[in-house]
Amino acid sequence: MIINKNWDLQNAFDAINAVYYPGGLQSGPQRNRKIESWGQLVGKEQAIAQLDSLLQEHGTLSKLSKAIRMSPRSINQLRIFFESLPDQFELTTQSKNYQFVEGKKCLLEEDLTHEFKEVKGLSPTNSIQNQVDEYIIAFLNSSGGSIFWGICDDGVVKCLKLNTNQKDEINKVINAKINVIQPSIDPTKIRIIFHLVLGVESGFVLEVNVPKSNNPKLFFNSSGKTWVRVNGCKQKLQGLALQDYIIERMQPSY
């Protein structure tokens, strides 16, 4: 039986109970495993929220037990299973007070979890807006990490000169890009940090820190495009490469 990740928990019980008889010696445990598989697909937060919602809707554990044809003990075990699932997002690094000096090479290196971007042109806001969702998605689909705007590819700091209004505008455009990523994510999970640069008045390095996602689903932008990190670089996935990547990514879930 194929589990539909778009089911809510009630739909999952209805569909799975129709195939696996809840009271059977063999089908009952199989039904429970299928419900657990649904929880793995939708993730810890949604699975627990859906279970709480059903309990609230029915009022008592006993009434919920009768409605979904699962014993109170099994419902409690299901909650324990859902709570044991990994958090959807996992911070890869804690916030650090980096010491950046204009014209000097920083101590960081570009790798799987660090990306440097030099901002060219007269509008840093536009430059960031044009690419930020691609890098956020690439990190979400990989191991998480940080994009640093204001550092050249060779690691030399070439800061952004920003006033308060420009910083606010950059915050707005980044959050606007985050809000249209699919599947949707809590924008507060993406940290936007302006690091002061020594030697330049109102000089900053902008860090956009992206957590690691423990969800097997891929993330896409509003146009249905997606990216990953490969050998420290952002790579677009499409066609057969996208298909193969999805199959490989989903394999551990089975």
Side-chain angles (χ1 to χ4, degrees):
M1 180 181 186
I2 297 175
I3 306 299
N4 189 333
K5 64 182 178 62
N6 294 317
W7 287 339
D8 61 23
L9 184 52
Q10 183 63 65
N11 292 148
F13 270 112
D14 292 342
I16 295 169
N17 284 350
V19 178
Y20 297 92
Y21 178 67
L25 291 177
Q26 291 186 343
S27 59
Q30 289 175 325
R31 185 277 304 267
N32 295 348
R33 300 294 82 77
K34 289 295 183 179
I35 294 294
E36 290 176 356
S37 296
W38 171 86
Q40 290 175 312
L41 279 177
V42 303
K44 176 180 181 178
E45 293 179 7
Q46 185 174 337
I48 293 174
Q50 291 275 333
L51 185 57
D52 287 341
S53 178
L54 278 183
L55 182 57
Q56 184 177 10
E57 178 184 338
H58 291 281
T60 66
L61 183 61
S62 177
K63 290 181 179 179
L64 174 60
S65 173
K66 292 179 181 179
I68 62 176
R69 302 166 72 188
M70 176 180 275
S71 71
R73 180 174 177 272
S74 293
I75 293 174
N76 287 330
Q77 289 177 334
L78 183 63
R79 175 179 290 279
I80 291 171
F81 176 81
F82 287 164
E83 290 175 345
S84 73
L85 294 172
D87 292 329
Q88 182 178 6
F89 296 108
E90 176 185 337
L91 293 179
T92 54
T93 58
Q94 297 297 320
S95 296
K96 297 181 181 179
N97 293 320
Y98 297 109
Q99 188 174 67
F100 294 117
V101 181
E102 181 71 0
K104 300 292 185 180
K105 193 168 183 176
C106 68
L107 297 178
L108 298 171
E109 293 185 2
E110 276 196 311
D111 53 25
L112 186 63
T113 58
H114 297 88
E115 174 75 26
F116 299 158
K117 296 300 296 180
E118 179 183 354
V119 176
K120 300 177 181 179
L122 300 176
S123 176
T125 301
N126 289 343
S127 180
I128 293 165
Q129 181 180 27
N130 290 338
Q131 291 186 305
V132 66
D133 58 336
E134 299 178 12
Y135 284 99
I136 289 175
I137 289 169
F139 278 120
L140 283 172
N141 287 336
S142 304
S143 301
S146 288
I147 315 106
F148 293 89
W149 270 274
I151 303 179
C152 302
D153 288 341
D154 58 5
V156 174
V157 176
K158 188 176 180 181
C159 72
L160 315 178
K161 296 180 181 179
L162 305 171
N163 57 36
T164 301
N165 290 337
Q166 288 173 311
K167 290 167 65 178
D168 288 343
E169 189 63 27
I170 288 172
N171 266 305
K172 289 177 183 177
V173 299
I174 293 175
N175 278 299
K177 289 289 188 177
I178 295 170
N179 286 333
V180 295
I181 290 175
Q182 293 296 326
S184 60
I185 63 173
D186 179 356
T188 63
K189 300 297 184 182
I190 310 293
R191 293 180 293 171
I192 303 171
I193 308 161
F194 291 91
H195 298 284
L196 281 170
V197 173
L198 300 178
V200 179
E201 185 177 356
S202 299
F204 297 92
V205 166
L206 168 64
E207 177 187 0
V208 179
N209 179 260
V210 182
K212 176 186 177 183
S213 172
N214 290 317
N215 195 316
K217 294 183 289 188
L218 282 174
F219 292 85
F220 296 81
N221 71 359
S222 58
S223 301
K225 298 176 182 177
T226 192
W227 296 262
V228 293
R229 296 281 292 177
V230 178
N231 298 324
C233 297
K234 171 172 64 71
Q235 179 176 315
K236 186 176 181 180
L237 287 182
Q238 55 188 348
L240 289 176
L242 174 57
Q243 175 180 288
D244 291 344
Y245 192 87
I246 290 174
I247 292 172
E248 180 181 352
R249 188 179 177 91
M250 292 297 293
Q251 194 65 37
S253 297
Y254 296 101

